[in-house]
Amino acid sequence: MKIAIVCYPTFGGSGVVATELGLELGRRGHEIHFITYSQPVRLALLNPNVHYHEVNVPEYPLFHYQPYELALSSKLVDMVKLYKIELLHVHYAIPHAYAGYMAKQMLREEGIELPMVTTLHGTDITLVGNHPYYKPAVTFSINKSDVVTSVSKSLRDETLKLFNITNDIEVIPNFIELNKNIIEANIPCHRSAIAKENERVVTHISNFRRVKRIPDVIKIFHKIQQQIPAKLMMVGDGPEKEKAERLCQELGILDKVIFFGNSNEIDKILSYSDLFLLPSETESFGLAALEAMASGVPVISSNSGGLPEVNFNGISGYLSDVGDVEEMATNAIKILSDDVALKEFKAKALETAKQFDIQNILPMYEELYLRAISIYAKPLV
């Protein structure tokens, strides 16, 4: 199949999933065309089946905000015609499904039918999409998609609750490329560079937005290190980072916390880790938790959104109510204070992650693509 993928080319979960999906499809022989405003951060153009096309948005003084949707839809039309693309897969309802629908309509005028698959990732529904200014466009875009998927049952239910959706929404969970994690795990470990031999390594990775409850991460770690020698690795960047640094200083633990900023070495960092903290207000899926588990790192998380669909309580880690710092810290200490328990949780975390291996999830997308293409297939005479 010849497939165009539209996504945000950033460190966020939706961009990572879209990129990894496209790369694996390319390895399976499909022709993949990424169409976005810059090259996705995880996209390595070493596969002859994978291509990247930049969307340029000319700047005109007339426009206070540059019309990205207009440029994207026009680029899609050009690329579909040039490369004979058979299917469009957009990640995020807005602006991508909206621009995709406009491209479909322009192509239809020229006798070309382009099936469109829309994958909902979370923020496009629960935060941005639910804003009164965007809600009609989001509803329209979802209902006009040929096939709609969500990354968790929780997100599907939330979408149906918030919007007047007439389309079916199929759940295809996020995934992990397990083979890559196994390769990374075999790279020589330089853990001693960040922690002493007797110290446990606790990690948090996010975009440091308020929904991630960064102060809770710090408070949980504060309680952990009072009983167990430990270091905290904070990976990522965002609006809450400066406050987190101040809180560490106030609690007197700044020397025990390392702030990395955004990193392309997530797998290596996780290979050093003993425990992962994700006490978010909500997560549509919890890709960061899954990446940790795929590296054999148990997870302490909230029980909100899609997290219970990924992190299994008492098996791959523990779930607690949002904001219950005390219980999260108690569970973390329970895992970290016992070598046998830690080893067992690490093994079970990896075993749980295997359910979400890309080799299990990708065939679901291939079947769905064929179904979407068949919608416009001409009947045999």
Side-chain angles (χ1 to χ4, degrees):
M1 286 179 277
K2 295 184 177 184
I3 303 164
I5 293 179
V6 179
C7 63
Y8 282 115
T10 57
F11 283 92
S14 67
V16 169
V17 167
T19 305
E20 297 291 353
L21 174 63
L23 290 172
E24 185 61 28
L25 286 165
R27 284 191 281 269
R28 289 197 176 204
H30 301 289
E31 186 178 311
I32 306 301
H33 296 264
F34 285 94
I35 303 174
T36 184
Y37 58 82
S38 67
Q39 185 171 318
V41 293
R42 292 202 183 183
L43 181 59
L45 295 174
L46 299 177
N47 188 317
N49 292 329
V50 178
H51 311 271
Y52 161 64
H53 311 288
E54 184 176 356
V55 179
N56 293 301
V57 187
E59 292 190 16
Y60 293 109
L62 174 65
F63 297 122
H64 184 64
Y65 300 104
Q66 304 309 318
Y68 178 63
E69 292 91 337
L70 184 62
L72 175 57
S73 59
S74 296
K75 186 74 172 184
L76 285 170
V77 169
D78 290 342
M79 295 301 99
V80 168
K81 289 159 64 176
L82 181 61
Y83 293 100
K84 305 290 189 282
I85 288 168
E86 301 169 86
L87 177 128
L88 172 62
H89 188 175
V90 299
H91 295 258
Y92 260 53
I94 55 170
H96 300 150
Y98 194 77
Y101 174 76
M102 293 308 299
K104 278 171 60 74
Q105 296 307 107
M106 286 187 275
L107 288 163
R108 183 168 287 162
E109 292 290 316
E110 300 186 39
I112 300 170
E113 293 288 357
L114 179 68
M116 181 171 74
V117 175
T118 296
T119 292
L120 311 176
H121 284 272
T123 306
D124 52 339
I125 298 302
T126 57
L127 188 61
V128 180
N130 195 38
H131 194 286
Y133 293 164
Y134 300 120
K135 199 166 186 174
V138 173
T139 304
F140 178 84
S141 300
I142 294 173
N143 285 333
K144 289 297 181 181
S145 300
D146 295 297
V147 179
V148 183
T149 74
S150 73
V151 297
S152 67
K153 294 174 186 174
S154 169
L155 180 59
R156 180 191 62 189
D157 295 344
E158 190 76 4
T159 304
L160 294 174
K161 185 175 78 173
L162 293 174
F163 300 88
N164 183 23
I165 301 302
T166 57
N167 232 334
D168 290 332
I169 301 177
E170 303 182 40
V171 176
I172 299 183
N174 283 338
F175 50 80
I176 192 75
E177 193 178 347
L178 211 59
N179 283 339
K180 186 178 75 172
N181 284 75
I182 292 169
I183 291 168
E184 288 287 345
N186 290 326
I187 293 174
C189 181
H190 301 289
R191 191 177 183 276
S192 59
I194 52 100
K196 296 174 184 175
E197 192 174 339
N198 69 324
E199 290 179 320
R200 302 298 196 193
V201 176
V202 182
T203 300
H204 171 80
I205 302 171
S206 78
N207 53 18
F208 283 63
R209 289 186 292 121
R210 185 174 294 181
V211 70
K212 302 298 181 180
R213 298 185 69 93
I214 301 299
D216 285 5
V217 175
I218 305 297
K219 291 171 186 174
I220 294 165
F221 176 74
H222 181 241
K223 292 179 180 295
I224 292 171
Q225 58 83 43
Q226 287 177 330
Q227 296 195 37
I228 299 171
K231 284 281 179 67
L232 173 63
M233 295 194 283
M234 298 289 282
V235 186
D237 204 353
E240 296 289 301
K241 186 180 176 185
E242 193 176 328
K243 295 177 189 173
E245 290 172 331
R246 283 203 305 269
L247 181 57
C248 289
Q249 194 163 15
E250 290 168 13
L251 295 172
I253 57 172
L254 198 55
D255 61 323
K256 297 179 180 179
V257 183
I258 302 171
F259 287 88
F260 285 90
N262 288 327
S263 174
N264 287 315
E265 296 188 305
I266 299 298
D267 296 323
K268 188 180 289 185
I269 292 168
L270 288 172
S271 73
Y272 302 157
S273 304
D274 297 304
L275 189 71
F276 190 82
L277 301 180
L278 196 65
S280 307
E281 192 80 31
T282 187
E283 292 280 347
S284 58
F285 177 81
L287 184 60
L290 178 56
E291 289 187 326
M293 289 156 52
S295 294
V297 183
V299 176
I300 296 292
S301 75
S302 58
N303 56 13
S304 181
L307 282 166
E309 298 174 44
V310 183
N311 183 23
F312 300 159
N313 193 49
I315 299 172
S316 57
Y318 286 106
L319 298 162
S320 298
D321 291 340
V322 174
D324 195 341
V325 169
E326 198 67 48
E327 183 177 280
M328 290 183 190
T330 299
N331 288 333
I333 292 164
K334 192 186 302 182
I335 293 173
L336 294 174
S337 60
D338 186 322
D339 287 343
V340 175
L342 178 58
K343 186 176 180 180
E344 196 171 303
F345 269 99
K346 280 177 172 281
K348 287 180 179 176
L350 177 57
E351 199 61 35
T352 302
K354 288 179 181 177
Q355 299 176 36
F356 300 92
D357 183 26
I358 193 169
Q359 302 305 326
N360 297 328
I361 307 301
L362 189 131
M364 299 182 192
Y365 277 113
E366 288 180 307
E367 187 276 329
L368 181 141
Y369 292 159
L370 290 171
R371 188 157 24 105
I373 289 171
S374 73
I375 293 171
Y376 298 105
K378 294 178 181 177
L380 296 173
V381 178

